[in-house]
Amino acid sequence: GDLTLGQQVFDNNCAACHMGGQNSVQPEKTLQKAALEQYLEGDFSVASITTQVENGKGAMPAWSGRLDSDEINSVAEYVFKQANGNLW
Ligand code: HEM
């Protein structure tokens, strides 16, 4: 994955609901580490983020078929890095 691509994908497709790592639809389900540890299916990992991005969950749309696998892997790595480093 490529973090520059990941940030671009995030800004273009995710920030509408997740500006600054927040969640404008379900406010408690932020993209911060503590929330991901609590709410993500599975562990706090790039793989678990990838699964949610591919399949969607609740009011979040699925991105398979709309983003390619390189874009999905890159945005998942970007979200993980931002959360793990408390960068948002
Ligand atoms: C949850 C990533 C786009 C709405 C999440 C979570 C991640 C994530 C990692 C888990 C957060 C948690 O459980 O604390 C992304 C990425 C996106 C994206 C990388 C772009 C590819 C969107 C968009 C919307 C949205 C555009 C609104 C239309 C939601 C909602 C949840 C959520 C409602 C909570 C789902 C639930 O647990 O019921 N998102 N998201 N997401 N996202 Fe997104």
Side-chain angles (χ1 to χ4, degrees):
D2 173 335
L3 284 171
T4 304
L5 175 62
Q7 177 159 23
Q8 259 168 32
V9 171
F10 188 88
D11 291 347
N12 292 335
N13 300 281
C14 318
C17 298
H18 294 296
M19 176 107 77
Q22 298 303 302
N23 189 326
S24 59
V25 179
Q26 247 179 293
E28 73 280 14
K29 293 184 174 176
T30 73
L31 306 186
Q32 290 171 324
K33 185 174 180 180
L36 294 174
E37 286 174 340
Q38 185 172 352
Y39 297 118
L40 212 51
E41 294 293 332
D43 56 353
F44 171 62
S45 66
V46 175
S48 299
I49 295 169
T50 300
T51 298
Q52 173 146 347
V53 174
E54 285 174 342
N55 300 330
K57 183 181 175 190
M60 175 165 152
W63 295 88
S64 321
R66 305 168 72 184
L67 296 175
D68 68 29
S69 59
D70 191 38
E71 291 170 323
I72 290 175
N73 289 333
S74 295
V75 79
E77 285 180 13
Y78 172 73
V79 168
F80 180 85
K81 179 176 168 269
Q82 290 288 111
N84 199 40
N86 289 311
L87 299 176
W88 51 33

